[in-house]
Amino acid sequence: MQYEGLPFVGHRRLRNFLAHWYEQGSPLNLLDASPEAPSLDEDAGEINEEAIFLKDYFQSQEKAFHILLNFVSEVSIHLNYWLDWTTPIHRRPRWAHQWARKLWRSYLALLGRRRPLAQPERAAAEFARLSEDLCRLLAFIQITSFDLLSSELGSLEARTEALRRSLAGLKWQTRVAAITAARLSPGGTAMVPRRSMRHSWLGSMGSETALSEQVAALSERSGGCGPEEEPSTRYPGRDQLRESDLTFQVLVESLNRYIWESGQLSHWRKWWPVYGLAFLGVLVGAWRWRLGEREVRHGLVQHSAEVWRQFLNEWILLPFQQLWEALLLPGPKEELRVQLRDLRAEEEALERMVTSFARFARAESTFAVKGKEGVEDAALPELYFEWSMTNPISNVVTGHLAESCMVQSQKLKVLLYASLYSIDAVMMQLKWDFLMAGVMPTTLLCGCVSWIISSSRRRRQLESRRKMVRALAELDRFLNRNMAFLSPRRVNELPQMEGAVGTVPLKSLLSQALGLDEDPELPSNGLASGLDSSIDLDKVGAALCHLDTLCRMASRIRLEDADWRAFRRDILDLTSPELSVAEKLHVIATMRHTYHVFDLRL
């Protein structure tokens, strides 16, 4: 699984380093090697074993690097939470907010946060101190790893020096992790300032004993080799690497326990009384409605199933089924449906019958109607019918009364056809209206749900982009403010002391990370001042945290593959201590104009 946060080092650079270490092997084959792999001769086997150790060393450093990044982000959340308790209230109305905060304080005190709430400034100071310690250790791991990758491996002495520096870095970062874990332990000195610890690497004997027991327990749980068993590898750095991993596991457990006891309450720990009362209310309601009886439960289940089935059929299945049949499965035409051509044919027949009857009626001498000459032909059948009612039998025998009745019947037929055609057209239109009205509630519901989901996703993406812009601005501000502390000088280029071994800069850096005074094992000749002027681990760790925020937000935005690869390369450039501040500022300016996620107008 690819890590979505800040990358540790470039895999290509690591492969090239290991391939250069073991010149007779291929980089890919070297990374896939195992300690049990056969070697050609003793020297080649030792070189291969050392390369495998370095591979495991970088994997261990990467794991510790990502663990510290996660904890720094989590500690910053709890730090901001307790800082909110210490800041004054600016919202209105002030009295209502004060009363709400008092009630909330009482509720949190009932949940076990009485000590931090009594002194929120002290809790915030503890988390701030813990964040500084983790940032220092994080920066030390990153700087020593880049220092080892930039080592010259042309001679045996250079390789020996690189191995010695890696072992020294493991030793001292294990010591820092142990001190941090001891401070967080129940019997530790988490409330004591770092300067007051002097040179005690565990602070107190009780904390040291407890930490040693934890490491031993982890060693037994992980299946470590006993005193009578042979170690899995001949290289002595394996034990130190394993000790470092176990110490970081103890640190993780200590951090989790400390955050659980003093940090911000999680959702379930905060609202479990409310959920408990709601569950109790459900039980009371079940008892009130006699749900303990089997007949009542079966009746309630049947009624709920019937209501749900009716809802599905009448509001979802049946409307969509009718719409599907009307659109894609048209049935045969109904018999009562009147076509327009039938209506036109009947109208033409009526016109012929009226014309023929008018010719007969106007020629008959006995049909004497006032104003007969000015009457239209369509009105003559009705007038003749009214005139014939005075003597219907003779008009039926000798006149045109039957023809008049047939013409009126044809006229009625035409009117019926016209009415049926109009009603049929209206019903067809109403049918589509009813079909659309049937599917409209479900369609509107699905549309609203889709709109809510898409709007929520857009808001989350916009918030993530705002966090990315803020993190990039914080990094830009950090680089501009701390240009004097972020020179691209490597660790092995720091001022050396005369007669001291090559691991002195590592020890000095870790002494600075511990926040202690100068190490008594080292002669004091002004090395600390040279280190303070060249690098500040606290500031470097804070910058790495901003870069980790950038990577995490970018993984949520889902950049394209090409943009994601370029983004990771830019992040690796920003994390590299080998680049100058001006080069990093140029990379930041390029990122602002390259990736669309930093433009909030889009």
Side-chain angles (χ1 to χ4, degrees):
M1 181 177 180
Q2 185 180 9
Y3 183 72
E4 295 180 350
L6 181 64
F8 181 52
V9 293
H11 292 285
R12 180 180 301 178
R13 183 173 182 179
L14 178 59
R15 284 195 295 265
N16 294 335
F17 174 79
L18 295 178
H20 188 55
W21 183 278
Y22 185 43
E23 298 176 351
Q24 299 178 359
S26 175
L28 296 178
N29 297 333
L30 182 59
L31 288 179
D32 297 336
S34 61
E36 292 80 8
S39 57
L40 297 179
D41 51 30
E42 185 177 357
D43 296 336
E46 291 179 358
I47 297 177
N48 189 18
E49 191 173 0
E50 293 171 356
I52 296 172
F53 165 76
L54 289 175
K55 173 198 169 186
D56 296 338
Y57 166 79
F58 281 110
Q59 289 180 351
S60 176
Q61 295 293 87
E62 182 178 9
K63 181 180 178 181
F65 184 78
H66 292 158
I67 287 174
L68 290 175
L69 278 176
N70 291 331
F71 274 109
V72 168
S73 301
E74 190 173 355
V75 167
S76 64
I77 294 175
H78 298 283
L79 173 60
N80 293 328
Y81 175 76
W82 290 116
L83 286 177
D84 291 339
W85 282 94
T86 60
T87 53
I89 302 171
H90 297 285
R91 285 174 286 185
R92 298 293 186 269
R94 185 182 181 87
W95 62 270
H97 193 74
Q98 287 180 348
W99 276 103
R101 172 160 286 192
K102 288 182 180 179
L103 293 176
W104 187 244
R105 184 190 295 269
S106 302
Y107 179 75
L108 293 180
L110 291 176
L111 294 179
R113 283 296 181 267
R114 189 180 304 274
R115 185 184 65 83
L117 288 172
Q119 296 179 343
E121 298 86 359
R122 189 174 182 179
E126 291 178 5
F127 276 100
R129 187 182 305 120
L130 179 60
S131 177
E132 292 176 0
D133 294 340
L134 296 179
C135 285
R136 290 188 180 97
L137 182 55
L138 177 70
F140 178 82
I141 292 176
Q142 194 246 9
I143 290 176
T144 52
S145 300
F146 272 92
D147 172 59
L148 184 60
L149 287 175
S150 60
S151 302
E152 296 292 338
L153 304 178
S155 61
L156 182 60
E157 291 77 7
R159 291 182 178 182
T160 305
E161 179 66 21
L163 284 176
R164 193 158 50 83
R165 285 205 305 271
S166 65
L167 293 176
L170 277 177
K171 174 184 175 182
W172 284 87
Q173 75 186 33
T174 302
R175 177 176 175 179
V176 175
I179 291 177
T180 307
R183 289 170 180 169
L184 298 176
S185 61
T189 56
M191 305 301 296
V192 180
R194 292 187 302 272
R195 293 291 179 180
S196 63
M197 295 182 64
R198 306 301 296 172
H199 306 292
S200 176
W201 78 286
L202 283 175
S204 63
M205 185 60 67
S207 300
E208 181 180 3
T209 304
L211 185 64
S212 301
E213 294 176 355
Q214 295 178 22
V215 174
L218 285 175
S219 177
E220 295 176 358
R221 202 183 335 173
S222 61
C225 57
E228 298 180 357
E229 300 178 2
E230 295 183 358
S232 58
T233 178
R234 293 176 298 173
Y235 198 72
R238 290 283 178 178
D239 296 335
Q240 195 166 350
L241 186 62
R242 185 167 173 272
E243 182 183 358
S244 176
D245 294 338
L246 294 177
T247 306
F248 268 94
Q249 292 184 28
V250 174
L251 177 62
V252 168
E253 294 180 0
S254 301
L255 286 170
N256 289 326
R257 183 174 59 250
Y258 181 74
I259 291 174
W260 175 270
E261 295 174 354
S262 302
Q264 181 183 2
L265 290 175
S266 61
H267 178 79
W268 289 104
R269 294 180 63 195
K270 186 185 299 181
W271 298 110
W272 70 265
V274 178
Y275 294 147
L277 290 176
F279 181 71
L280 183 61
V282 171
L283 292 180
V284 172
W287 174 80
R288 172 66 178 80
W289 292 99
R290 298 183 302 174
L291 294 180
E293 300 179 5
R294 186 171 183 178
E295 293 79 7
V296 176
R297 292 198 306 271
H298 280 264
L300 180 61
V301 171
Q302 291 178 0
H303 179 69
S304 302
E306 183 179 355
V307 171
W308 180 248
R309 192 181 302 110
Q310 182 181 2
F311 173 77
L312 289 178
N313 290 331
E314 295 183 0
W315 288 87
I316 299 178
L317 297 180
L318 187 59
F320 280 97
Q321 181 180 359
Q322 294 176 354
L323 181 63
W324 177 269
E325 293 176 355
L327 288 175
L328 302 178
L329 301 175
K333 296 180 179 180
E334 300 177 0
E335 297 180 357
L336 297 178
R337 183 175 297 175
V338 178
Q339 302 295 325
L340 184 60
R341 60 177 179 272
D342 298 335
L343 178 59
R344 294 291 181 260
E346 296 297 334
E347 288 179 350
E348 292 176 0
L350 176 62
E351 186 178 357
R352 290 193 303 270
M353 293 175 67
V354 168
T355 302
S356 176
F357 180 81
R359 186 171 59 253
F360 296 151
R362 293 183 187 279
E364 186 178 357
S365 59
T366 58
F367 179 50
V369 180
K370 184 178 179 181
K372 178 177 66 175
E373 291 76 7
V375 179
E376 296 179 355
D377 294 344
L380 286 178
E382 297 178 2
L383 293 177
Y384 189 85
F385 180 81
E386 294 175 359
W387 174 76
S388 300
M389 284 294 97
T390 58
N391 194 4
I393 298 176
S394 61
N395 288 327
V396 169
V397 176
T398 61
H400 304 284
L401 183 59
E403 288 85 348
S404 174
C405 292
M406 293 182 67
V407 171
Q408 294 184 64
S409 299
Q410 181 66 22
K411 186 176 182 180
L412 179 61
K413 183 179 180 180
V414 170
L415 291 176
L416 288 175
Y417 267 54
S419 301
L420 290 175
Y421 178 77
S422 301
I423 293 174
D424 200 27
V426 172
M427 290 301 296
M428 287 294 295
Q429 184 177 1
L430 290 178
K431 174 186 177 181
W432 288 103
D433 293 342
F434 285 127
L435 288 176
M436 296 305 298
V439 301
M440 191 57 65
T442 306
T443 305
L444 287 177
L445 179 62
C446 295
C448 290
V449 172
S450 176
W451 177 76
I452 291 173
I453 294 175
S454 60
S455 300
S456 177
R457 182 173 178 272
R458 284 196 299 268
R459 285 196 299 270
R460 289 197 303 268
Q461 287 189 350
L462 183 60
E463 184 65 24
S464 300
R465 293 169 63 181
R466 286 176 178 172
K467 289 181 180 179
M468 290 182 64
V469 172
R470 190 179 302 115
L472 193 64
E474 289 290 337
L475 183 61
D476 193 355
R477 188 180 301 111
F478 167 79
L479 292 175
N480 283 289
R481 288 182 177 180
N482 303 281
M483 295 181 66
F485 298 96
L486 298 175
S487 59
R489 299 169 62 185
R490 291 185 289 271
V491 178
N492 54 0
E493 294 178 355
L494 294 177
Q496 301 285 335
M497 291 185 298
E498 183 178 358
V501 295
T503 57
V504 171
L506 295 178
K507 293 183 179 181
S508 303
L509 279 178
L510 262 296
S511 298
Q512 183 185 4
L514 292 172
L516 305 176
D517 294 338
E518 192 176 351
D519 198 302
E521 299 178 0
L522 303 178
S524 57
N525 61 349
L527 179 61
S529 60
L531 288 171
D532 292 337
S533 63
S534 61
I535 192 168
D536 193 331
L537 295 179
D538 188 10
K539 294 180 173 57
V540 175
L544 293 177
C545 297
H546 294 310
L547 290 172
D548 182 66
T549 303
L550 274 177
C551 288
R552 292 181 184 274
M553 294 299 107
S555 63
R556 298 178 185 178
I557 295 296
R558 299 181 184 273
L559 293 172
E560 296 182 0
D561 294 339
D563 291 342
W564 177 247
R565 289 192 296 268
F567 186 85
R568 288 177 64 88
R569 288 195 298 268
D570 293 338
I571 292 297
L572 285 174
D573 292 338
L574 292 176
T575 57
S576 175
E578 301 172 354
L579 270 68
S580 63
V581 176
E583 292 173 338
K584 293 182 179 180
L585 292 175
H586 177 70
V587 172
I588 291 177
T590 305
M591 292 175 65
R592 283 199 179 99
H593 296 88
T594 302
Y595 307 108
H596 69 281
V597 294
F598 295 108
D599 191 359
L600 299 179
R601 297 173 297 178
L602 299 178

